[in-house]
Amino acid sequence: MSVLDVTDLVKHFPIHGGLLQRQTGAVRAVDGVSFSIAKGETLGLVGESGCGKSTIGKTVLKLIEPTSGKIVLGGEDITALKPAAMWPHRKRIQTIFQDPYSSMNPRLPAGTIVGEPLENFDIARGKERDERVAKLFERVGLRPDAMRKYAHEFSGGQRQRLGIAKALSVSPDVIVADEPVSALDVSVQAQVLNLLIDLQEELGLAYLFISHDLAVMRHISHRIAVMYLGRIVELTDKRTLFSTPLHPYTEALLAAATAPDPRRARRKKAIVQGDVPSPANPPSGCHFHTRCPYATAECKVVSPPLREVSPGHHVACLLR
Ligand code: SF4
């Protein structure tokens, strides 16, 4: 059963210019994206910077309003909810940031920071809150006596554990994790990813996991959606994506990241060289045609829809 359903999500940011500051265009950050995440599942969103993956995260969290489309959380349509009406639903969808330190008040002890949502949502106060926070500290691998320490006294990995404890405090169904390990050393990354996997198995959490790093995606995701310029170009289970990528962009990303043969890596890497075109002025037809080695004249005019080419394997390419 899905806990998060996103349908035809669009987020355009207006561009204003001229003396009268009229709208002269729009940055098409997210351009018609659909996906679902089941209880206990991790969907990875991967792509180069500027592809719209973080905007999707912020939009499903309702930190920014979608331009159009539909977001259904646990069977309830939250798309048009204003902040007051959204408040009770916020418990069900929480987030983990890349840099938890930036969102932590340096003057508050860690126990108070982790326990904040328990008070904000009227779940527990005083002694009961402290007991719950102590259990959360233990659950994420921190000693309960660390509740008295301040954020600057923790390492990067420990701060990310604090961020996870805070997100868990309100028993969410879905966690949006935006590059949560990219600032950590590789060995610490693995520990934090393994903690997230353990928590998922124990609590049935669903993760929308956003990262540019394919190795991280391979570690944690069940299914992966590859994004290019605001659109999903390929979506399938992890094993199929790594063994049988069908979109030329996915093929190039994988070859650049994982090819054991450096000559092959160099050849494939050439495909993704060059800048990503601006989402304010994306190429016509298939957005990828300006960098695709297989592009035909048709690719410049026809926008390929995301089609299911085999069970569970969706690709947006005219050649597939
Ligand atoms: Fe390349 Fe054409 Fe497929 Fe786009 S539709 S990925 S340009 S072959």
Side-chain angles (χ1 to χ4, degrees):
M1 196 185 78
S2 61
V3 287
L4 180 67
D5 294 286
V6 171
T7 310
D8 283 335
L9 188 70
V10 172
K11 180 62 191 178
H12 292 176
F13 295 99
I15 302 169
H16 295 97
L19 268 182
L20 298 175
Q21 285 296 300
R22 290 212 172 97
Q23 186 176 339
T24 53
V27 174
R28 294 157 68 163
V30 180
D31 216 6
V33 162
S34 302
F35 59 83
S36 294
I37 311 181
K39 182 177 164 66
E41 183 188 38
T42 299
L43 176 69
L45 280 185
V46 70
E48 291 166 283
S49 119
C51 69
K53 54 194 192 302
S54 290
T55 304
I56 291 177
K58 289 187 187 123
T59 312
V60 300
L61 284 159
K62 294 294 298 288
L63 299 176
I64 53 176
E65 292 301 314
T67 304
S68 62
K70 194 168 166 187
I71 305 163
V72 176
L73 177 64
E76 290 195 55
D77 187 345
I78 60 165
T79 320
L81 294 185
K82 299 288 174 233
M86 182 63 202
W87 180 250
H89 299 282
R90 291 215 175 277
K91 271 190 289 195
R92 304 167 72 183
I93 184 161
Q94 290 286 303
T95 186
I96 305 170
F97 301 104
Q98 177 179 356
D99 175 15
Y101 191 48
S102 63
S103 64
M104 289 176 184
N105 186 333
R107 286 187 289 273
L108 292 179
T112 306
I113 291 170
V114 170
E116 255 173 359
L118 291 169
E119 295 208 0
N120 292 343
F121 286 102
D122 255 339
I123 296 170
R125 292 180 185 280
K127 192 163 173 282
E128 190 193 343
R129 184 205 62 174
D130 292 346
E131 284 168 4
R132 286 191 182 222
V133 171
K135 283 195 186 127
L136 285 164
F137 266 59
E138 279 183 309
R139 187 60 202 85
V140 300
L142 294 170
R143 290 161 52 112
D145 59 13
M147 285 166 64
R148 289 190 293 274
K149 287 170 49 174
Y150 292 85
H152 71 270
E153 297 177 80
F154 292 89
S155 68
Q158 288 172 330
R159 279 182 208 141
Q160 199 49 282
R161 288 174 192 267
L162 288 176
I164 294 167
K166 186 175 178 180
L168 283 183
S169 66
V170 293
S171 307
D173 300 320
V174 183
I175 290 183
V176 177
D178 191 352
E179 302 276 9
V181 296
S182 57
L184 305 175
D185 292 343
V186 173
S187 60
V188 182
Q189 280 188 355
Q191 291 167 12
V192 173
L193 293 175
N194 289 338
L195 171 64
L196 288 170
I197 291 168
D198 289 349
L199 291 168
Q200 180 173 58
E201 283 169 4
E202 186 183 323
L203 304 169
L205 292 163
Y207 296 139
L208 176 60
F209 199 98
I210 297 165
S211 177
H212 68 283
D213 187 331
L214 281 162
V216 167
M217 282 300 179
R218 191 171 206 163
H219 194 129
I220 195 154
S221 300
H222 296 107
R223 288 184 302 140
I224 298 177
V226 180
M227 289 199 62
Y228 189 77
L229 275 181
R231 296 176 180 168
I232 293 176
V233 296
E234 185 156 7
L235 169 60
T236 187
D237 64 274
K238 168 172 66 180
R239 191 196 302 221
T240 305
L241 190 92
F242 281 91
S243 65
T244 327
L246 291 181
H247 195 281
Y249 179 60
T250 314
E251 200 181 69
L253 280 183
L254 291 182
T258 62
D261 177 351
R263 283 168 307 173
R264 183 165 174 258
R266 263 202 302 279
R267 183 168 64 79
K268 295 289 185 184
K269 212 170 186 171
I271 302 170
V272 282
Q273 275 177 355
D275 292 334
V276 184
S278 167
N281 187 21
S284 59
C286 172
H287 285 350
F288 190 52
H289 84 253
T290 52
R291 301 167 84 194
C292 179
Y294 314 111
T296 64
E298 193 188 8
C299 302
K300 295 181 183 167
V301 287
V302 178
S303 175
L306 190 66
R307 286 185 309 112
E308 189 167 16
V309 295
S310 59
H313 194 165
H314 302 77
V315 187
C317 174
L318 296 174
L319 298 187
R320 301 295 179 186

